[in-house]
Each structure stands twice: as structure tokens, then as C-alpha cells.
Amino acid sequence: MIVRGSELLIKAKKDGYAVPAFNVDNLESVLGVLNATSILSKPIIIQTIPRTLKYGGIATYSSLVKANYKGGADIAIHLDHGGDLQVCRDCIDAGYTSVMIDGSMLEFDKNVQLTKQVVDMAHASGVCVEAELGTIGGKEETEGQIKYTEVDEAVKFVELTGVDSLAIGVGTAHGVYKGTPHIAIDRIKEIADVVDIPLVLHGASGLSDEVIRNCIKAGISKINFATHLRQAFTKGLKEGLVSKEATYDPKTYLPYAIKAVQDVAMGIIKLCQPD
Ligand SMILES: [Zn+2]
């Protein structure tokens, strides 16, 4: 079934594994991750960032997922890094079962205010909310500028907002890492010890398997993977174009990209959920 994201995360937290959340861009990446969850019978979250929604249309991705989901393990459809109340509302109307509101760049009080607004709106529609506190590195920040999530602020934030899951800043970054990232595993544990809701790790493409396992052990219940999947899609597509050089029908070379996404997603699912 397609369920609320929090249902998957609460179960993962209780049983000590993480649900991988895959950022999709098109039909082929949706098919790749759906094949992976169906073969392994393990839950996943399929998510899109607002930039993807702008590229493909807000109703497109939930329709692609719903039309191609064949049952088996439960999944959720999630908005990643929603920037305002409206995009969260639009995704809920389009059938998303989970949304993220990212107010992490705001002052603490403003982040609380925005998150609370989205929580009230989403809960009224039966949809759960992920928020972010602290910063996750990206294109602009260097490692020294990443703000780790403070333990006491996390407790206060969850209490004040009633949010369902929380993305924390512990040294990860989006995109491709330039050097070896230093992840504050202890900080994850400190927060998990005092915060009841599931914790989320962003920017996991490029972390070693060992670091990812340690993050899960320390208390992470959802891990986002975007870059790995995009790299797999592009590599698979290039291979398909070379192998089927004589053809002009996309349906002959795009399956290479689907298979490449599927293989990477299967590896990630196994890593997040050891038997
Ligand atoms: Zn992120």
C-alpha cells in the first residue's frame, strides 16, 4: 500500500533499521526504485524536490508512482525540501503522503512558526511532516560553516511544532563530497536519546557503508539518496546509447538506465535494512 511516511519510519525506528528515500526525476527512475522495492519486498520512500516538480509538473510524479506500484512492501510519496506552505499543500492535493518543510535557514523561532503552520495544515489532511533543524551542507557551505543540530534545540523544536520526523545537521552534505566527510555519530545518538520521533539523514550519497550503518545504529530512521541514483541513471543511459547505437527508439536504450537505478537502489535498501 501507499501509506503515510511516518508509518514506515515509526516501524523502522522500533526495529532498528532505516527506510531509504530515493529522489526520482522521471519515469525511468521511478520504475527503477519500484522494481527494487518489489524484488526485495522492503519499504522505501519515493521523493521529489521542488525543482523536480517544476521540471515535470506537480501532479506527474505521484501519478507515475501510483500507476506503476504493484504492491508488496509499503511505500510513501514524499516532498523533499519543501520551501513554503503552498508547495506542501499542492503536493498533498496531488496525493503525496508525506511532506518536508525546510525552514532550517530561518531563525529558530521563525522555523518553529513555519513548521507548525505546515504541521497543522498537513495533519488536517492526514499527511505527516518532516522538518529540518541545523544545516546540511550543499553548494554554498564549506564544512566549517555547517551548523550541527543542538540537542536542547531539537527537543524544544519537536515539542513546539508537533512535527513527525526531523532532519538533523551532523556533518553531511548534499551532492558529491570533495574530501572525506566527518559525521558526528555521537550527536545523532545524543539527539535520539531525548527525541521520540524518527530522525532523518540527508546527503548520504558518498558516505561509506560503515558510516551509514553506524548512523542507523545511532538512531537514524530515514536516509535520503539522490546523487547516487542520478549518477546510476546517467551511466546506465550512456551504456544503453552505446549498446543500441543503431536504434532511435528510446524504449530500447532507456531500460539500461532503469536497470542501473534498480541495481543501485537494491544495494542501498540492503545496506539500510540488514537481514
Ligand atoms: Zn536534503
Side-chain angles (χ1 to χ4, degrees):
M1 277 202 325
I2 300 178
V3 300
R4 276 165 55 110
S6 56
E7 270 184 46
L8 302 181
L9 299 187
I10 288 167
K11 187 163 188 309
K13 182 174 156 66
K14 194 171 132 275
D15 294 347
Y17 61 90
V19 180
F22 297 118
N23 284 71
V24 294
D25 293 296
N26 50 33
L27 169 65
E28 287 71 27
S29 47
V30 169
L31 291 176
V33 296
L34 282 177
N35 288 348
T37 182
S38 144
I39 292 167
L40 295 173
S41 272
K42 301 286 186 194
I44 61 166
I45 293 170
I46 298 181
Q47 62 187 24
T48 49
I49 52 173
R51 205 148 41 88
T52 306
L53 300 177
K54 227 171 155 188
Y55 170 79
I58 221 150
T60 302
Y61 297 93
S62 54
S63 304
L64 287 178
V65 173
K66 282 177 187 164
N68 291 288
Y69 174 64
K70 305 270 189 316
D74 289 343
I75 64 167
I77 310 174
H78 176 72
L79 168 69
D80 187 26
H81 289 286
D84 55 42
L85 189 77
Q86 191 57 50
V87 69
C88 294
R89 180 72 256 170
D90 291 344
C91 284
I92 292 169
D93 291 341
Y96 280 57
T97 58
S98 174
V99 293
M100 175 188 188
I101 180 70
D102 180 1
S104 61
M105 73 302 293
L106 303 170
E107 296 283 311
F108 182 84
D109 291 344
K110 290 265 163 34
N111 189 359
V112 166
Q113 204 184 352
L114 176 64
T115 302
K116 178 83 172 61
Q117 263 186 335
V118 173
V119 167
D120 289 345
M121 183 272 291
H123 283 183
S125 302
V127 168
C128 59
V129 180
E130 173 183 332
E132 180 176 324
L133 191 62
T135 59
I136 292 149
K139 290 179 181 71
E140 293 102 38
E141 301 90 345
T142 59
E143 194 171 342
Q145 291 171 297
I146 295 175
K147 185 180 172 294
Y148 286 12
T149 306
E150 300 293 340
V151 179
D152 51 341
E153 281 195 353
V155 174
K156 225 168 109 190
F157 186 85
V158 171
E159 239 174 56
L160 291 170
T161 58
V163 76
D164 302 282
S165 60
L166 185 66
I168 51 174
V170 288
T172 56
H174 295 113
V176 178
Y177 286 98
K178 287 187 190 80
T180 307
H182 301 286
I183 310 304
I185 305 279
D186 288 352
R187 184 60 61 91
I188 298 173
K189 207 172 170 327
E190 286 162 23
I191 297 172
D193 280 347
V194 291
V195 166
D196 272 344
I197 61 170
L199 300 177
V200 182
L201 190 73
H202 285 230
S205 297
L207 300 185
S208 72
D209 290 1
E210 193 195 352
V211 168
I212 288 177
R213 275 193 217 101
N214 287 338
C215 289
I216 297 170
K217 264 188 222 148
I220 291 291
S221 306
K222 171 179 181 258
I223 309 184
N224 290 4
F225 294 90
T227 304
H228 262 15
L229 253 64
R230 294 193 177 114
Q231 287 168 335
F233 174 86
T234 304
K235 190 164 173 278
L237 178 62
K238 285 176 182 167
E239 279 166 17
L241 286 169
V242 170
S243 305
K244 302 284 178 183
E245 207 187 353
T247 182
Y248 54 82
D249 182 350
K251 291 186 292 302
T252 58
Y253 56 79
L254 284 171
Y256 285 77
I258 298 172
K259 180 70 167 51
V261 170
Q262 175 188 317
D263 289 346
V264 166
M266 283 175 69
I268 290 171
I269 294 171
K270 286 179 190 160
L271 173 65
C272 289
Q273 193 169 97
D275 285 324

